[in-house]
Amino acid sequence: MTSTAPQPSYPRPPATALPAAQHHIVTESTQFLGVTKPISLAGPTPSEVELTKMLVATMRENGLFESDEEAQKREMVLGRLNVMTKEFVKQVGMRRGLSEALAVESGGTIFTFGSYRLGVHGAGADIDTLCVVPRHVSREDFFSIMHDMLKNEPDVTELAAVPDAFVPVIKMEFMGIPIDLVMAKLNLTQVVDGLDLSDNQLLQNLDERDVRSLNGSRVTDGILQLVPDVNEFRIALRCIKLWAKRHGVYSNVMGFLGGVAWAMLVARVCQLYPNATASTLVSKFFNIMFKWQWPQPVMLKPIEDGPLNVRIWNPRIYPADRQHRMPIITPAYPSMCATHNVTQSTHRIMLEQFAAAKDVVNSIVFGKGDWNKLFTAPPSFFFTKYRHYLQVVASTYSRDRHLQWSGMVESKLRQLVLRLEVVEGIELAHPYMKGVDRNFVITSDIEATGIRSGTWPARGADSDEAVAAAEAAPDQRVLFTTSFYIGLLIKPAPRPANGGPAQKIRIDLKQPAEEFQHYFVDWDKEETKMTIQNLKRSALPKDVQPTAPQQATSTTAASKKRPAETPQDAAKRKRTDTPTPMTENDTDSMASLPTDTSSVPAMMQIPGLS
C-alpha cells in the first residue's frame, strides 16, 4: 500500500516514477484499499508492460509532460506566492492592531491541490493553489488587500476575482502560469509551514466556504493515499484526462467531470486492479465505467463521521442527494459529491463516450491500433454533431470586467441546459466544454450592436496585437466577447398515420431564456450584455466549423455521412478564421432570442426531422 504524506506547501511533484519503496505488490494477505476487495491481483504481463511504454511515448508526443524550464518557473511562482501570502497576513495583522513581530509570527502559507499536486499536470496547465491564513484575516481582506497586492505585481496578468463562486477564487496568470487561488481561514492564531491539513479538528468553527476551500487540498492528498501504486495511477490518469479533453467531456462547470472527479474514478479502478500496469488500468477503466450501475456511487473509502455539524452526502436522508445522476464521493471528511453538476444530457453524452472508448481500447489491446486512436477527436466534432445550436454571447468593453462577466455567464450556463432539458421537443442539450473568445476593434456603434447580438463582421475577430494597440489608443474602443454553444438534439417529429409529411415541432424557448436571464439582473446592462441565438449548423461561425466535412455521430442519424477530418487538417485550422455572418435565410426555422426576453417569441418552429 502506498503511503503519501500530505505536503506542507508547494513541492514539485514527480512527473514520472516514484522511489521503488513506494511500490508494493498487493496479495491476499495485504490489507486492500477501497470499499470492496480487488477484482484481480494479477500482475502485468510482458505485453501489458510494452503497451504501457507505448502509452507513455504517445502521451509525450501529445505534449503531456512539461519541460524542466517550465517546472522551475512553476516552483518560482509558487515561492513568490508563498512570500506574498505571508506579507498579506502581516499587513492585515498590523491593521488589526498587532505589533509587527506578532503580525509576522502569524505566518500564512500556501498548498497546492488538483492536477499539480497529483503530479499529472501538463505543459500550460493551471495550478490550483490554496492560501491558508490565521483567524484574524477575513475573506474580504483576501479579495481587497491580497487582490490589490496581486494587481500591483508586474508579473501578474489576467487578474479576475470571483468572490461569489461556490468556492470563491482569484484567477490570474503569474509569469505566464495560470493560477486559481482560493483562501481558507483557520481558527488558529498562527499558520505555520508544515501544517498537516488532514487533521479533521482544523475544520471546527469554520464557515462552509472555508471548509470547501480546504477540502481541495485534503481530497487531493486523500486520493494519493488511497491508490496502491501512485506511478501507475498517474500514467493512467494522464491518459484519461487527455481522452476526456479531446472528446469534450472535461468540464465540471458545464456539467461534465472535472479533474478531481476523473482522478477519483481512475483511483477506484486502481483499487480494483492494484497490481496492474497503466495500460491495463486504462482498458479496465472504460469497461467498468461503461457498465457501472449509476447512480450507484463511486467511493474510495467508507464515508466517515467527524467533529462538525455539517451535511455529509447521504441519499437516504437528503432528497437532493438522490437526484445525483453520477455520484462520485470525495474521500476527505466531510464527504461530498464532486459531480452534482452532471445533468441528464451530460450523463448520456459521457456514457456514449465511455462505450466508444471501450471499443477503441479493446482494439488497441488486441493489436489493431495504436494509442493515438484513443485520443483522435477533431476539435470541431461538436460543431458537426447537431442540426441546431444555441449561441450565448457575453460581451463588455473592459478586459478586466469581461473576465468577471464571461466567467459569471459560464458558471450559470448549466442552469440554461437544465431548463432546456425539460422543454417539450428537446431530447438533449449538449454544452460545449469551453467558451470561444473573439475580440473586436470597434469601427461604429452599428457594428458593435451587431457583434453584441452575435452577428460577426466579415473581417472576423481582430488579432491580439491589434486589440492591444487599440486598448492603448484613447480614441478607439475594443469589444470583448465570449461565446458559449449548446447543441440541441430535437426529438423526431411524429408522422401521420396516412404516411404524409412529418409535422412541424413547436418548441417554447421563451421561459428557459427568461429564467436564465434572471441570474444576471444585478449586472449593469449597458456595460455587460448577453444575447442568445438559435443557429443552424450551416450558420455557425466559420472559426468553429471544420475545414473538411466530418461524419456525423449516432445522435444525428438524420445528418448526412461525411468523411472525418484528419488530425493534419485540424492542426492547420486557426482560431482566427473569419467568422461567417448570420443571415436571415440561415435561421428561417429558428427564432432569435435577444437579451430583452420580453420580445422573445413564445414558440419557434422546427421542420419535422426524418
Side-chain angles (χ1 to χ4, degrees), residues 351-555:
L351 291 182
E352 290 176 353
Q353 293 292 346
F354 287 151
K358 170 183 66 70
D359 294 338
V360 170
V361 173
N362 288 342
S363 71
I364 295 171
V365 170
F366 286 105
K368 297 181 180 179
D370 61 29
W371 285 106
N372 272 314
K373 188 177 180 181
L374 178 64
F375 306 131
T376 301
S380 58
F381 79 95
F382 168 85
F383 296 101
T384 63
K385 192 171 186 179
Y386 304 99
R387 286 188 173 184
H388 300 285
Y389 294 82
L390 290 187
Q391 177 178 255
V392 180
V393 181
S395 61
T396 59
Y397 285 105
S398 164
R399 184 186 294 272
D400 291 341
R401 186 64 164 164
H402 187 68
L403 288 170
Q404 298 176 335
W405 173 234
S406 61
M408 179 65 177
V409 174
E410 180 182 40
S411 70
K412 298 299 182 184
L413 199 71
R414 187 180 67 94
Q415 300 301 326
L416 178 57
V417 171
L418 289 170
R419 284 156 176 77
L420 291 169
E421 287 179 339
V422 298
V423 171
E424 185 176 358
I426 294 180
E427 183 173 335
L428 180 142
H430 181 172
Y432 190 50
M433 68 175 186
K434 61 183 179 181
V436 178
D437 295 326
R438 304 180 182 95
N439 302 325
F440 303 88
V441 179
I442 298 303
T443 59
S444 68
D445 289 340
I446 294 176
E447 181 185 62
T449 300
I451 292 172
R452 300 193 91 171
S453 64
T455 303
W456 313 115
R459 73 178 189 277
D462 291 304
S463 66
D464 292 342
E465 293 77 9
V467 168
E471 285 185 283
D475 59 340
Q476 289 188 295
R477 287 188 302 166
V478 176
L479 183 62
F480 300 88
T481 77
T482 302
S483 300
F484 304 96
Y485 294 91
I486 301 173
L488 299 178
L489 180 62
I490 308 302
K491 293 179 181 178
R495 289 188 173 276
N498 59 10
Q503 301 173 358
K504 287 188 175 182
I505 303 172
R506 297 173 63 83
I507 296 178
D508 183 1
L509 290 181
K510 181 175 182 179
Q511 183 173 346
E514 288 180 337
E515 291 177 352
F516 184 57
Q517 190 68 27
H518 289 163
Y519 287 102
F520 314 107
V521 293
D522 295 332
W523 288 76
D524 185 343
K525 288 183 172 54
E526 292 297 323
E527 182 183 3
T528 59
K529 189 174 180 65
M530 181 191 67
T531 56
I532 308 175
Q533 292 172 290
N534 309 305
L535 299 179
K536 282 185 176 179
R537 183 171 57 220
S538 60
L540 286 168
K542 186 178 179 181
D543 59 353
V544 298
Q545 291 183 353
T547 55
Q550 291 179 303
Q551 180 175 331
T553 64
S554 59
T555 53

Side-chain angles (χ1 to χ4, degrees), residues 172-416:
M172 71 185 114
E173 288 195 5
F174 200 137
M175 295 177 61
I177 303 294
I179 301 286
D180 283 359
L181 182 64
V182 302
M183 190 207 84
K185 177 178 68 172
L186 300 182
N187 188 30
L188 301 173
T189 58
Q190 290 181 316
V191 172
V192 298
D193 292 337
L195 182 68
D196 182 5
L197 292 184
S198 67
D199 183 1
N200 290 343
Q201 298 301 319
L202 290 176
L203 303 179
Q204 294 195 66
N205 302 313
L206 304 188
D207 67 24
E208 290 186 2
R209 292 175 298 179
D210 288 320
V211 173
R212 287 196 293 265
S213 296
L214 282 169
N215 261 17
S217 183
R218 286 162 53 85
V219 166
T220 304
D221 285 334
I223 293 171
L224 291 173
Q225 293 167 3
L226 290 166
V227 291
D229 189 323
V230 175
N231 187 50
E232 300 301 324
F233 162 75
R234 282 175 167 152
I235 297 172
L237 180 54
R238 281 184 184 274
C239 172
I240 298 303
K241 288 181 63 171
L242 178 60
W243 167 84
K245 291 176 180 178
R246 291 283 176 87
H247 290 80
V249 290
Y250 190 102
S251 175
N252 178 63
V253 70
M254 293 299 183
F256 296 106
L257 304 189
V260 171
W262 289 115
M264 288 188 286
L265 288 185
V266 174
R268 183 66 185 121
V269 175
C270 290
Q271 292 177 340
L272 296 173
Y273 297 89
N275 298 323
T277 191
S279 60
T280 301
L281 293 172
V282 171
S283 173
K284 298 299 184 183
F285 176 90
F286 290 113
N287 282 277
I288 289 174
M289 291 306 137
F290 169 67
K291 297 176 182 178
W292 194 269
Q293 298 300 305
W294 305 105
Q296 176 182 333
V298 172
M299 297 190 295
L300 300 182
K301 59 183 288 189
I303 294 176
E304 62 178 297
D305 292 326
L308 304 182
N309 183 25
V310 296
R311 173 175 163 172
I312 297 175
W313 188 82
N314 191 332
R316 296 180 179 178
I317 298 176
Y318 304 113
D321 292 351
R322 290 196 291 272
Q323 302 304 312
H324 294 157
R325 298 178 176 275
M326 205 171 177
I328 303 172
I329 310 306
T330 58
Y333 172 83
S335 296
M336 302 176 185
C337 178
T339 49
H340 62 276
N341 280 355
V342 173
T343 72
Q344 175 182 331
S345 295
T346 55
H347 184 210
R348 170 177 164 177
I349 292 161
M350 284 188 282
L351 291 182
E352 290 176 353
Q353 293 292 346
F354 287 151
K358 170 183 66 70
D359 294 338
V360 170
V361 173
N362 288 342
S363 71
I364 295 171
V365 170
F366 286 105
K368 297 181 180 179
D370 61 29
W371 285 106
N372 272 314
K373 188 177 180 181
L374 178 64
F375 306 131
T376 301
S380 58
F381 79 95
F382 168 85
F383 296 101
T384 63
K385 192 171 186 179
Y386 304 99
R387 286 188 173 184
H388 300 285
Y389 294 82
L390 290 187
Q391 177 178 255
V392 180
V393 181
S395 61
T396 59
Y397 285 105
S398 164
R399 184 186 294 272
D400 291 341
R401 186 64 164 164
H402 187 68
L403 288 170
Q404 298 176 335
W405 173 234
S406 61
M408 179 65 177
V409 174
E410 180 182 40
S411 70
K412 298 299 182 184
L413 199 71
R414 187 180 67 94
Q415 300 301 326
L416 178 57

